[in-house]
Amino acid sequence: MGIEIIATGRAIPAKKLTNNDLAGRIDTTDEWIRSHTGIGARHIADEGVAASDLALEAAQNTLALAAEKTGLSGEALAQSLDLIILGSTTPDYYGVPSTACIVQDKLGARNAAALDITAACTGFIYGLELAAGFINMDRSRKRALVIGAEVLSRVADWNDRGTAVLFGDGAGAVFIERLEPSGRGQRGLVRTILGADGSGAESLMIKRGGSRHPYQGGGDDGPLRVEMDGRAVYNFAVKALTETIERLLAKEDISIHDVTRIIPHQANARIVQAAAKRLNIPESKFFLNIEEYANTSAASIPIALDELNRAGELKRGDVIMTIGFGGGLTYGGNLIIW
Ligand code: COA
């Protein structure tokens, strides 16, 4: 039994902040940001827009596409969902309720279980595997939504040029369905690798707000913000990207030439360039849209999947790798036959 992605969707805030816009606010330049990261702009959610708002829009767009494909109404599809799983570093609320529950209610997915997962930028990769496992555990389950949604502009430190330039807001989603065996060869999610190295936890953190450092407000207790050891994360990311690709190839006993496209987490174009060089594969094998959106953490891979899908660039039979890495530290990859 396998699962297939039958529809994708995304939500991108209209407000766009270019590098030059940022250069007017902090000590940086378009040239530095582009040459060090490949980022040209990021989209920023309006005040009052939370992760669940972007997630809901992405989910609705996904259901609309699934409706076209299946002939069922969006409403019927929402009610047929068995699970909504949502990866986010910037949930609406810390701890409770989950952002997935808010989406479940607004979507009308009243038969779906709903939960958030915390795997930072690897959230979508983890979420897809967990949703597939959930469906495969019980034949009465059939459909799930996997969402990545972030409003990173709320936790970016706008006084720290080393991190502020890197992040953006957005959401992406996929609708997955049990794949009935059809004798036409293997399709859908073929294999996943998931991993973590918690010894690197401190290299990417939002320190305040949890039970270790409860946020109290006032005095020295500044707002929630991302703190990062950029060099340590960079080194981890290049290794994680390279090794996850190699491991997926080895486990499936295929060559890189069999892979149509690699969709990496969009953290830094230089991470991708370094991995391509180590693997001795052309950079063109990797899909990059970081120039437009910057790093949207758990949302970056489903946003990329939706861009490619809606542009008609994912063809039946294409072999796709999605590779994530990020805070935790976490990493993972999915091999999908479209
Ligand atoms: N604009 C201009 N100068 C900047 C800058 C900015 N936005 N950010 C940093 N600099 C400066 C630094 O202050 C430093 O100046 P100095 O030499 O005078 O001290 C110089 O640029 C080099 O800084 P450094 O941190 O060594 O740059 P780098 O080449 O390592 O690039 C990152 C920094 C953050 C782009 C890079 O480390 C990175 O991408 N790391 C991974 C981050 C990531 O992807 N995180 C999310 C993972 S999911």
Side-chain angles (χ1 to χ4, degrees), residues 126-172:
Y126 268 65
L128 190 61
E129 176 70 355
L130 294 178
F134 178 85
I135 289 175
N136 282 334
M137 284 283 279
D138 182 336
R139 279 208 65 85
S140 70
R141 300 175 187 148
K142 188 170 179 190
R143 296 184 171 126
L145 261 184
V146 182
I147 307 173
E150 302 283 7
V151 189
L152 290 158
S153 59
R154 299 278 152 71
V155 295
D157 181 349
W158 293 101
N159 296 312
D160 174 13
R161 66 179 182 174
T163 55
V165 302
L166 300 176
F167 299 110
D169 302 337

Side-chain angles (χ1 to χ4, degrees), residues 39-63:
I39 294 167
R42 69 285 298 140
H43 290 249
I44 305 290
D46 285 337
E47 212 181 315
V49 171
S52 69
D53 300 316
L54 296 178
L56 179 66
E57 189 184 328
Q60 284 167 333
N61 292 338
T62 307
L63 285 185

Side-chain angles (χ1 to χ4, degrees), residues 262-276:
I262 301 168
I263 302 174
H265 167 49
Q266 311 282 315
N268 183 330
R270 279 167 57 214
I271 291 171
V272 169
Q273 285 153 6

Side-chain angles (χ1 to χ4, degrees), residues 281-334:
I281 56 179
E283 281 172 37
S284 57
K285 194 79 135 175
F286 293 84
F287 177 73
L288 277 175
N289 61 8
I290 191 171
E291 186 184 7
E292 177 66 24
Y293 304 121
N295 179 348
T296 57
S297 193
S300 88
I301 290 172
I303 288 173
L305 275 171
D306 186 54
E307 276 202 343
L308 286 166
N309 189 28
R310 285 176 195 256
E313 291 195 36
L314 298 175
K315 306 256 174 352
R316 175 63 68 95
D318 279 359
V319 178
I320 310 291
M321 275 187 186
T322 54
I323 314 283
F325 46 82
L329 298 166
T330 55
Y331 61 91
N334 314 115

